[in-house]
Structures are given as structure tokens and as C-alpha cells.
């Protein structure tokens, strides 16, 4: 009998099932990195102002983005300030609110305003006045948390 020159064919190898398992794990990882989307990305990027409050608006109906130069986007579409009220009313009549947003407002007229931190206050005030004129009952201003 020669020791060490022949292997026992009945002896199981421990790594046969490990390579396919590693392949499956990497495929799943790649799939979820490519296909997974945690939240809807913004069409227009803005740097929101800083806040010390952690309050998150629980209800949201329409998203309004105001860029630093004053350009307004209602649900991703560019709108002029003078046309904001009519565009807002049209959106509310069309029922463009996201399903399951759970608004307690009977008319569902809640707006999430994402304004750039460099936007002049007078321009933001004009936008908010147009929303009031359009019939928006509530608006929430998106901010970033300031960790003191």
C-alpha cells in the first residue's frame, strides 16, 4: 500500500457546492445593484436648504421643484410662474397624485416644494403665493438635516 499517491474516490470533496453558490450570490448582488431602485430619483437636482427639524412630510400629492435661477418644475415639467396656478389645478383634476399617498385632506391638495438653497426668498414667496391662489391647502418645504 502506497500512502499519499492515490486519493480515495469515495471521499467527498468539500468545495464542489461552494463555487456555484458564490456565482449565484454575485449574480443576485449584480441584479439588485442594477435593477433595484430605493426611491424615485429627482428629474431636476437641487441642493435643499438646511434645517434642524427632522419632520418628514407624511403626505405628499404633487412635487414642485424650484431651481436657484427661479425655474419651476411641476411633477418634472417646466412651468412658468404665471401658469403655475392653472397647471396645478389641471394636475389635481387629472388625479396625478401618487396612489396610496394617504392624504387626510379631502381635496388632496398637498404639495412638496423642493427649493434650491440658493433661491432668493422673494422668488420662493411668489411661487408659494401662486400655489395658494391655485387652491393648495398645504405645502411642505423639503430640507436637509443639519447635524449640529
Amino acid at each position: 500500500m502506497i500512502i499519499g499517491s492515490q486519493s480515495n474516490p469515495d471521499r467527498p470533496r468539500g468545495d464542489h457546492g461552494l463555487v456555484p453558490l458564490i456565482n449565484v450570490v454575485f449574480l443576485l448582488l449584480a441584479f439588485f445593484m442594477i435593477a433595484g431602485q430605493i426611491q424615485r430619483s429627482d428629474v431636476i437636482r437641487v441642493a435643499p436648504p438646511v434645517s434642524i427639524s427632522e419632520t418628514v412630510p407624511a403626505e405628499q400629492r404633487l412635487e414642485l421643484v424650484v431651481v436657484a435661477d427661479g425655474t419651476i418644475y411641476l411633477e418634472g415639467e417646466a412651468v412658468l410662474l404665471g401658469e403655475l396656478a392653472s397647471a396645478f389645478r389641471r394636475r389635481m383634476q387629472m388625479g396625478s397624485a401618487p396612489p396610496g399617498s394617504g392624504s387626510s385632506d379631502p381635496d388632496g391638495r398637498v404639495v412638496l416644494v423642493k427649493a434650491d438653497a440658493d433661491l432668493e426668498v422673494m422668488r420662493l414667496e411668489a411661487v408659494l403665493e401662486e400655489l395658494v391662489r391655485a387652491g393648495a391647502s398645504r405645502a411642505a418645504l423639503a430640507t436637509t438635516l443639519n447635524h449640529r
Side-chain angles (χ1 to χ4, degrees):
M1 174 164 126
I2 302 173
I3 298 175
S5 64
Q6 295 178 348
S7 62
N8 187 356
D10 295 334
R11 186 174 161 202
R13 287 182 157 169
D15 63 347
H16 276 290
L18 191 59
V19 173
L21 178 65
I22 291 172
N23 289 341
V24 168
V25 168
F26 279 120
L27 285 173
L28 286 172
L29 178 66
F31 172 78
F32 285 112
M33 285 175 59
I34 294 169
Q37 184 177 358
I38 295 176
Q39 78 179 39
R40 184 178 74 165
S41 60
D42 293 332
V43 177
I44 295 84
R45 297 260 182 219
V46 293
V50 178
S51 171
I52 59 171
S53 171
E54 283 190 74
T55 306
V56 177
E59 305 166 359
Q60 173 183 333
R61 283 297 188 189
L62 292 176
E63 185 175 286
L64 183 81
V65 179
V66 187
V67 186
D69 66 1
T71 309
I72 302 167
Y73 295 91
L74 181 62
E75 291 292 308
E77 293 180 24
V79 178
L80 297 173
L81 181 62
E83 300 171 356
L84 179 60
S86 61
F88 176 79
R89 284 190 209 103
R90 270 196 315 273
R91 287 282 183 172
M92 292 310 294
Q93 288 172 354
M94 287 178 5
S96 65
S101 59
S103 174
S104 61
D105 186 7
D107 297 330
R109 297 178 181 166
V110 180
V111 182
L112 177 63
V113 179
K114 293 182 177 182
D116 196 284
D118 295 330
L119 180 69
E120 295 176 9
V121 175
M122 298 304 288
R123 286 188 176 185
L124 180 60
E125 185 178 355
V127 169
L128 294 175
E129 286 175 359
E130 280 297 311
L131 285 175
V132 169
R133 231 177 265 131
S137 60
R138 287 184 293 192
L141 182 63
T143 58
T144 31
L145 183 61
N146 181 11
H147 298 284
R148 288 184 179 197

